[in-house]
Amino acid sequence: MTVPVRWLLGRRALGLDLRAGHAGVSAPIGVVTTTELTDPTPWLSGGELVLTTGIGLPEDDDGRRAYLYRLADAGVAALGFGVGVRMPATPRALIDAADERGLALFDVPLPTPFVALVQAVVNESARQQSQSSTHARNVQQRMTRAAVSGGPDATLRALASGCAGIAVLADRHGRINPPILDPAVQALVFDQIRRNPGSSAVESVGPGAIVTQPIRVGHTGHGWLAVVFEHPPQPTDHILIGHANSLLALDFEKPLRLRTAQHRLNAAALGVLLAADADLGPAQQLVAEAADNTGIRALVLCADTSAALAEPLHQALQAAGRPVFVHTEATQATVVLRGGDGTGFAARLLDGLPSGLRRHTRAGLSTPAPVAQLAGAVAEARRSAAAAPPGGEVLDAARMAGRTLLEDPATRAALGQLAGTLIAPLHDADPALVTSLRAFLEHHGHWEAAATAAGVHRHTLRARLARIEELLGVDLGSARVRAELLLALLADG
């Protein structure tokens, strides 16, 4: 761990006095070294706080400036000059040169031993290391829990939070999941992957960086993990990225037979809940894994053959980090979603269907319901699917009010016969009779409102309704007659 020069200068007990190089106080100190060599640079690697009393300092100003220039070129973090030993004050040539190079230069007063600075930096580094280790351990635990309960998406969210970055998965087809990156940043990610397809890579981008790692198990690749930082990544960030990579690889490599068995078990549980005369308790507990605090929704898909729907739905649910509950029979597939999942989520699941299959698939979504009422939710979703257009949007049952009777083929056929008996004679006699009857029924028999809607005087409306009663042999004062006529009008269009 490193300690900023600014932090050390802020320790009042040390009595340090910054004399030059104010621009360099953010430099990180990796280690503290004491030297009286005229040229210590062969033994420096960068990031050091160099402490000296000036014993080996050249006597002339040019030599002193050259001394500081060498330190700056070697990448040291700062220079601490112990005053009162060989010299009563820091030489002016050092101060001027430090300002030129932006290298922090401070006085260390005689009462302050150099070892006190060493100890301060060591203690702060240890404190940071302990804090980072605790943070990394806590984030690793959160990522592990997230991977178990929420799959890859939850793992990525936990990693992003722990690293204060953006974590995504990249695949071989140029797709990013979740799709949250700016297109320009996404292009940088894929360019870095292209140049480092089989190894980890870290590249600076402005003040931040991009880290990419391939996700592999043996010879099988599962894409790449990428993390975009707005700051330089820390060592603990790399530890967390490596842990996330392992969790993702384990998730991708779940044995195929185990995954298939789980899908079959889920489908069987769903089939039990849809059957009669069964002990539903254990199955309901299993299907409850798909619920949220609002319950579940049923998504019903109707296609020529439901078998072709199963695998794309399995993959889409897994990619969304959801348990897979899919039941197929003949021309229908039933999927259990969370109660909070709307038509948008359902539509994204259908995006994974082959285009030819999607064009012929009708989809209906139930309203939220408790798990115990799954059968009713499925019946509701079936009615919505029956009313949905092939290849069109997912039809939410909440939007079916006033449409259910007319969308059922058998009911619509029966109402069509009723319209032929009751409404056709009115069309033949005078189309204005149909308009007047519709206005009267839709305004609940209120003469003034109905006459206004029909665009006639109320006396004219009364005369027309009397003629309707005569033609059809009915009494419009009967609620049952009015109900049948309204249904016939709805079927008539």
Side-chain angles (χ1 to χ4, degrees), residues 452-471:
T452 300
V456 298
H457 192 275
R458 65 179 181 277
H459 295 315
T460 302
L461 180 64
R462 288 182 185 274
R464 289 180 178 176
L465 294 178
R467 188 178 178 197
I468 290 170
E469 289 179 322
E470 179 183 351
L471 285 169

Side-chain angles (χ1 to χ4, degrees), residues 315-469:
Q315 294 178 2
L317 288 165
Q318 286 169 193
R322 302 294 178 80
V324 177
F325 287 94
V326 178
H327 178 71
T328 58
E329 52 182 347
T331 60
Q332 178 179 294
T334 301
V335 184
V336 179
L337 305 180
R338 295 175 181 173
D341 291 333
T343 55
F345 180 82
R348 288 194 292 275
L349 293 182
L350 301 188
D351 287 343
L353 297 181
S355 58
L357 180 59
R358 179 67 184 95
R359 283 197 299 271
H360 300 287
T361 300
R362 291 177 284 113
L365 184 67
S366 75
T367 54
V371 174
Q373 297 177 16
L374 174 63
V378 172
E380 190 176 59
R382 284 174 178 165
R383 290 193 294 269
S384 298
E393 64 179 8
V394 178
L395 185 55
D396 193 332
R399 296 169 49 198
M400 289 289 291
R403 298 172 56 181
T404 307
L405 283 174
L406 294 177
E407 296 297 347
D408 181 76
T411 304
R412 186 172 183 85
L415 291 177
Q417 292 178 356
L418 184 64
T421 301
L422 297 178
I423 306 303
L426 302 183
H427 281 296
D428 294 339
D430 183 356
L433 295 178
V434 179
T435 303
S436 297
L437 178 61
R438 188 186 300 275
F440 177 75
L441 295 176
E442 290 183 346
H443 289 83
H444 312 292
H446 296 152
W447 293 102
E448 292 292 345
T452 300
V456 298
H457 192 275
R458 65 179 181 277
H459 295 315
T460 302
L461 180 64
R462 288 182 185 274
R464 289 180 178 176
L465 294 178
R467 188 178 178 197
I468 290 170
E469 289 179 322

Side-chain angles (χ1 to χ4, degrees), residues 11-12 20 22 24 27 32 47 61 119 264 292 342 363 366-367 372 395 398-399 409 427 429 434 458 471 480 482 486:
R11 305 308 95 191
R12 293 184 178 180
H22 291 73
V32 181
D61 288 348
Q119 194 63 53
R264 288 175 178 170
D292 59 14
S366 75
T367 54
L395 185 55
R399 296 169 49 198
H427 281 296
V434 179
R458 65 179 181 277
L471 285 169
R480 179 166 181 161
R482 293 197 301 273
L486 180 57

Side-chain angles (χ1 to χ4, degrees), residues 243-325:
H243 185 67
N245 193 316
S246 299
L247 292 173
L248 292 167
L250 287 173
D251 189 86
F252 287 130
E253 280 292 309
K254 287 178 181 175
L256 180 59
R257 285 183 295 178
L258 176 61
R259 184 176 296 167
T260 301
Q262 181 66 59
H263 295 172
R264 288 175 178 170
L265 178 61
N266 291 349
L270 186 52
V272 168
L273 290 182
L274 298 176
D277 302 324
D279 179 10
L280 304 183
Q284 287 178 350
Q285 292 179 1
L286 181 60
V287 175
E289 294 181 10
D292 59 14
N293 58 1
T294 64
I296 52 90
R297 285 191 194 231
L299 171 66
V300 169
L301 307 178
C302 297
D304 293 337
T305 171
S306 64
L309 296 170
E311 186 57 28
L313 289 172
H314 290 176
Q315 294 178 2
L317 288 165
Q318 286 169 193
R322 302 294 178 80
V324 177
F325 287 94

